[in-house]
Amino acid sequence: VQLQASGGGLVQPGGSLRLSCEVSGLTERYYNIGWFRQGPGKEREGISCFSSSDESTHYAYSVRDRFTISRDGAKNTVYLQLNSLQPEDTANYYCATECKIDGSSWSTFGYLGRMDYWGKGTQVTVSS
């Protein structure tokens, strides 16, 4: 399983970006794709999750109403639309086959005793 995040960049406060997480080699019928971020000097934070079992979406309080997660099954890609970006959103953004949102967690491979998979991050910088 491989995940590749892309779409980051430099944006002014109030601007928008769309991040993409392209997933390959994932054959599980039910899976979770989570977006995480880690800003400078901060701990890694789970911010959004897509669960294929019921196509549910989940958001951390810090990004709710500003970020939107979606999936394009035909392209094996999960998107994260970032709106109303603020300097505190500056971080390296990652996607993974697990999710952690405000104390709750979902794992694709944990029940098999296996580790979940992580992709390399894409940098988002919000600055004027």
XYZ file of all heavy atoms in Angstrom, residues 17-70:
439
model
N -6.807 25.785 -0.601
C -6.004 24.783 -1.300
C -6.800 23.487 -1.320
O -7.637 23.247 -0.439
C -4.668 24.532 -0.590
C -3.551 25.563 -0.722
C -2.399 25.180 0.207
C -3.060 25.653 -2.152
N -6.511 22.641 -2.298
C -7.061 21.289 -2.288
C -5.911 20.292 -2.280
O -5.096 20.272 -3.211
C -7.960 21.025 -3.488
C -8.688 19.682 -3.363
C -9.642 19.405 -4.494
N -8.959 18.980 -5.706
C -9.547 18.329 -6.695
N -10.835 18.038 -6.615
N -8.861 17.995 -7.769
N -5.854 19.517 -1.216
C -4.847 18.470 -1.104
C -5.397 17.169 -1.664
O -6.596 16.892 -1.554
C -4.441 18.270 0.352
C -3.980 19.521 1.110
C -3.527 19.121 2.521
C -2.899 20.256 0.368
N -4.515 16.375 -2.237
C -4.890 15.064 -2.775
C -4.074 13.984 -2.091
O -2.886 14.183 -1.820
C -4.628 15.005 -4.283
O -5.363 15.978 -4.974
N -4.698 12.865 -1.826
C -4.016 11.680 -1.306
C -4.310 10.544 -2.277
O -5.416 9.989 -2.271
C -4.495 11.340 0.089
S -3.771 9.807 0.753
N -3.340 10.223 -3.106
C -3.504 9.138 -4.073
C -3.084 7.829 -3.415
O -1.975 7.727 -2.899
C -2.689 9.395 -5.326
C -2.918 8.375 -6.422
C -2.213 8.730 -7.720
O -1.632 9.830 -7.780
O -2.251 7.912 -8.646
N -3.977 6.855 -3.442
C -3.750 5.584 -2.758
C -3.619 4.471 -3.787
O -4.425 4.377 -4.709
C -4.910 5.265 -1.804
C -4.613 3.986 -1.010
C -5.164 6.426 -0.859
N -2.600 3.639 -3.630
C -2.421 2.498 -4.514
C -2.171 1.238 -3.702
O -1.638 1.313 -2.586
C -1.265 2.732 -5.494
O -0.062 2.950 -4.790
N -2.585 0.106 -4.250
C -2.334 -1.170 -3.598
C -3.264 -1.502 -2.455
O -3.068 -2.498 -1.760
N -4.301 -0.709 -2.250
C -5.240 -0.953 -1.147
C -6.397 -1.788 -1.670
O -7.177 -1.315 -2.497
C -5.741 0.375 -0.581
C -6.639 0.315 0.654
C -5.906 -0.327 1.825
C -7.104 1.725 1.020
N -6.500 -3.015 -1.210
C -7.503 -3.933 -1.728
C -8.611 -4.237 -0.730
O -9.563 -4.936 -1.054
C -6.846 -5.256 -2.154
O -6.185 -5.840 -1.027
C -5.839 -5.020 -3.267
N -8.474 -3.705 0.488
C -9.489 -3.954 1.502
C -10.823 -3.342 1.090
O -10.868 -2.232 0.567
C -9.050 -3.349 2.837
C -8.088 -4.208 3.634
C -6.762 -4.435 2.945
O -6.374 -3.594 2.112
O -6.114 -5.451 3.232
N -11.893 -4.073 1.331
C -13.218 -3.556 0.977
C -13.549 -2.351 1.843
O -14.118 -1.369 1.362
C -14.264 -4.642 1.170
C -15.680 -4.179 0.827
C -16.670 -5.323 0.980
N -18.018 -4.898 0.647
C -19.089 -5.681 0.745
N -18.963 -6.925 1.173
N -20.282 -5.227 0.420
N -13.196 -2.448 3.126
C -13.463 -1.344 4.042
C -12.138 -0.767 4.525
O -11.259 -1.503 4.965
C -14.306 -1.817 5.221
C -15.661 -2.347 4.817
C -16.042 -3.650 5.127
C -16.551 -1.544 4.115
C -17.285 -4.134 4.747
C -17.789 -2.027 3.724
C -18.150 -3.311 4.041
O -19.372 -3.792 3.660
N -12.023 0.513 4.427
C -10.778 1.167 4.810
C -11.071 2.562 5.337
O -12.173 3.106 5.164
C -9.813 1.241 3.612
C -10.389 1.977 2.431
C -10.260 3.363 2.317
C -11.068 1.297 1.430
C -10.807 4.042 1.243
C -11.615 1.962 0.354
C -11.483 3.337 0.257
O -12.028 4.003 -0.810
N -10.087 3.119 5.997
C -10.155 4.487 6.490
C -8.979 5.272 5.925
O -7.864 4.752 5.856
C -10.062 4.510 8.021
C -11.116 3.635 8.657
O -12.301 3.944 8.641
N -10.686 2.506 9.224
N -9.223 6.481 5.505
C -8.154 7.375 5.081
C -8.226 8.621 5.945
O -9.258 9.313 5.975
C -8.262 7.759 3.602
C -8.189 6.508 2.710
C -7.152 8.748 3.238
C -6.867 5.765 2.790
N -7.159 8.861 6.656
C -7.115 10.008 7.552
C -6.106 11.048 7.090
O -5.086 10.715 6.489
N -6.436 12.282 7.355
C -5.494 13.390 7.141
C -4.983 13.862 8.499
O -5.766 14.029 9.444
C -6.163 14.559 6.425
C -6.312 14.365 4.953
C -7.411 13.923 4.287
C -5.310 14.616 3.953
N -7.161 13.877 2.937
C -5.880 14.306 2.702
C -3.988 15.082 3.981
C -5.189 14.439 1.490
C -3.304 15.208 2.799
C -3.896 14.892 1.568
N -3.681 14.071 8.558
C -3.012 14.559 9.750
C -2.180 15.778 9.363
O -1.862 15.979 8.191
C -2.073 13.487 10.315
C -2.762 12.233 10.785
C -3.215 11.280 9.879
C -2.939 11.990 12.136
C -3.852 10.125 10.306
C -3.563 10.831 12.578
C -4.012 9.902 11.666
N -1.797 16.535 10.355
C -0.867 17.629 10.096
C 0.041 17.820 11.292
O -0.315 17.462 12.424
C -1.612 18.931 9.778
C -2.384 19.512 10.959
C -3.138 20.764 10.528
N -3.871 21.382 11.633
C -4.657 22.438 11.518
N -4.819 23.012 10.315
N -5.284 22.926 12.571
N 1.214 18.345 11.011
C 2.155 18.678 12.081
C 2.795 20.005 11.760
O 3.523 20.135 10.766
C 3.212 17.590 12.257
C 4.093 17.827 13.472
C 4.887 16.600 13.864
O 5.065 15.670 13.089
N 5.375 16.584 15.101
N 2.474 20.997 12.581
C 3.045 22.315 12.404
C 4.354 22.459 13.150
O 4.702 21.612 13.984
N 5.103 23.519 12.884
C 6.392 23.726 13.548
C 6.225 23.814 15.062
O 5.430 24.621 15.562
C 6.889 25.041 12.939
C 5.692 25.675 12.325
C 4.760 24.598 11.947
N 6.949 22.974 15.759
C 6.886 22.966 17.207
C 5.617 22.397 17.795
O 5.372 22.536 19.005
N 4.798 21.761 16.970
C 3.525 21.221 17.453
C 3.509 19.699 17.315
O 4.249 19.130 16.531
C 2.362 21.809 16.653
C 2.207 23.313 16.782
C 0.999 23.792 15.978
C 0.822 25.285 16.087
N -0.338 25.758 15.289
N 2.613 19.076 18.076
C 2.410 17.638 17.935
C 1.579 17.347 16.687
O 0.827 18.203 16.215
C 1.702 17.086 19.172
C 2.538 17.150 20.430
C 1.868 16.462 21.605
O 0.719 16.008 21.463
O 2.519 16.380 22.664
N 1.720 16.130 16.195
C 0.907 15.732 15.062
C -0.561 15.676 15.459
O -0.910 15.193 16.537
C 1.353 14.371 14.530
C 0.705 13.974 13.221
C 1.360 12.732 12.662
N 1.195 11.587 13.539
C 1.902 10.469 13.427
N 2.819 10.369 12.479
N 1.688 9.465 14.259
N -1.416 16.172 14.584
C -2.847 16.306 14.874
C -3.662 15.622 13.774
O -3.447 15.892 12.592
C -3.215 17.794 14.944
C -4.695 18.076 15.101
C -5.028 19.557 14.953
O -4.231 20.305 14.354
O -6.116 19.957 15.401
N -4.549 14.741 14.162
C -5.476 14.175 13.202
C -6.591 15.161 12.936
O -7.193 15.669 13.892
N -6.882 15.467 11.680
C -7.838 16.522 11.382
C -9.051 16.061 10.601
O -10.101 16.717 10.660
C -7.166 17.694 10.647
C -6.480 17.223 9.363
C -6.184 18.410 11.576
C -5.927 18.359 8.514
N -8.963 14.977 9.862
C -10.130 14.557 9.079
C -10.009 13.094 8.727
O -8.906 12.542 8.686
C -10.257 15.405 7.813
O -11.484 15.131 7.164
N -11.166 12.463 8.471
C -11.184 11.031 8.194
C -12.327 10.696 7.248
O -13.422 11.262 7.375
C -11.359 10.263 9.500
S -11.361 8.469 9.318
N -12.045 9.768 6.331
C -13.086 9.193 5.491
C -13.123 7.700 5.768
O -12.086 7.027 5.689
C -12.801 9.428 4.002
C -13.766 8.714 3.102
C -14.973 9.300 2.775
C -13.490 7.446 2.612
C -15.884 8.637 1.963
C -14.380 6.777 1.804
C -15.585 7.375 1.479
N -14.314 7.184 6.092
C -14.474 5.752 6.343
C -15.324 5.156 5.238
O -16.471 5.563 5.051
C -15.148 5.522 7.698
O -14.330 5.964 8.742
N -14.773 4.180 4.523
C -15.488 3.656 3.358
C -16.649 2.753 3.744
O -17.549 2.534 2.939
C -14.520 2.884 2.455
O -14.156 1.651 3.042
N -16.646 2.219 4.963
C -17.702 1.276 5.351
C -19.080 1.910 5.262
O -20.043 1.259 4.857
C -17.449 0.753 6.764
O -17.416 1.818 7.684
N -19.171 3.171 5.629
C -20.450 3.882 5.547
C -20.286 5.233 4.882
O -21.203 6.058 4.937
C -21.065 4.042 6.943
C -20.148 4.774 7.909
O -19.033 5.139 7.488
O -20.552 4.981 9.068
N -19.133 5.442 4.265
C -18.819 6.713 3.584
C -19.018 7.898 4.521
O -19.449 8.976 4.100
C -19.621 6.852 2.300
C -19.327 5.756 1.289
C -19.744 6.103 -0.114
O -20.247 7.215 -0.332
O -19.566 5.246 -1.008
N -18.682 7.693 5.779
C -18.817 8.785 6.745
C -17.552 9.638 6.745
O -16.470 9.186 6.363
C -19.065 8.231 8.147
O -17.985 7.429 8.561
N -17.727 10.874 7.147
C -16.604 11.805 7.251
C -16.544 12.362 8.666
O -17.571 12.486 9.339
C -16.741 12.951 6.240
O -17.972 13.639 6.470
C -16.720 12.424 4.817
N -15.351 12.679 9.096
C -15.149 13.154 10.462
C -14.121 14.273 10.440
O -13.192 14.257 9.624
C -14.645 12.009 11.358
C -15.455 10.764 11.244
N -16.543 10.511 12.068
C -15.371 9.703 10.399
C -17.071 9.356 11.729
N -16.393 8.841 10.724
N -14.304 15.226 11.361
C -13.422 16.386 11.393
C -13.057 16.738 12.830
O -13.886 16.637 13.743
C -14.118 17.592 10.766
C -14.500 17.380 9.327
C -15.765 16.922 8.996
C -13.580 17.622 8.311
C -16.111 16.708 7.669
C -13.924 17.420 6.983
C -15.191 16.964 6.671
O -15.531 16.761 5.362
N -11.829 17.194 12.980
C -11.430 17.752 14.271
C -12.112 19.098 14.460
O -12.421 19.800 13.489
C -9.914 17.914 14.319
N -12.314 19.434 15.703
C -12.983 20.709 15.998
C -12.225 21.885 15.384
O -12.828 22.854 14.934
C -13.090 20.872 17.514
C -13.772 22.144 17.929
C -15.165 22.236 17.924
C -13.039 23.264 18.317
C -15.799 23.400 18.303
C -13.663 24.437 18.689
C -15.050 24.501 18.684
O -15.667 25.666 19.048
N -10.900 21.761 15.325
C -10.074 22.879 14.861
C -10.274 23.203 13.382
O -9.946 24.305 12.941
C -8.592 22.567 15.123
O -8.199 21.385 14.436
N -10.825 22.256 12.605
C -10.963 22.493 11.158
C -12.406 22.365 10.677
O -12.687 22.596 9.496
C -10.071 21.538 10.351
C -8.620 21.654 10.801
C -10.557 20.096 10.446
N -13.291 22.001 11.581
C -14.684 21.805 11.191
C -15.225 23.082 10.576
O -14.959 24.171 11.022
C -15.493 21.415 12.431
C -16.822 20.745 12.161
C -17.324 20.113 13.440
N -16.422 19.052 13.884
C -16.417 18.550 15.115
N -17.242 19.027 16.032
N -15.579 17.591 15.431
N -16.008 22.943 9.543
C -16.644 24.054 8.815
C -15.683 24.797 7.899
O -16.105 25.708 7.185
C -17.291 25.067 9.775
C -18.393 24.449 10.622
O -19.053 23.506 10.136
O -18.566 24.896 11.766
N -14.399 24.422 7.901
C -13.448 25.051 6.975
C -12.851 24.036 6.006
O -12.532 24.383 4.862
C -12.309 25.731 7.740
C -12.751 26.873 8.627
C -11.551 27.635 9.166
N -10.668 26.791 9.961
C -9.366 26.662 9.715
N -8.796 27.295 8.702
N -8.625 25.884 10.486
N -12.690 22.805 6.448
C -12.078 21.758 5.632
C -13.148 20.738 5.252
O -14.055 20.446 6.033
C -10.958 21.050 6.393
C -9.744 21.898 6.695
C -9.690 23.240 6.356
C -8.642 21.324 7.314
C -8.571 24.009 6.639
C -7.516 22.076 7.603
C -7.484 23.421 7.273
N -13.002 20.158 4.053
C -13.942 19.144 3.583
C -13.182 17.982 2.964
O -12.351 18.194 2.077
C -14.912 19.720 2.545
O -15.600 20.847 3.099
C -15.935 18.674 2.123
N -13.479 16.779 3.428
C -12.848 15.575 2.887
C -13.809 14.912 1.906
O -15.024 14.915 2.110
C -12.435 14.606 4.020
C -11.518 13.501 3.500
C -13.660 14.014 4.717
C -10.873 12.663 4.617
N -13.248 14.369 0.835
C -14.078 13.670 -0.151
C -13.251 12.590 -0.834
O -12.024 12.587 -0.739
C -14.635 14.655 -1.189
O -13.575 15.266 -1.901
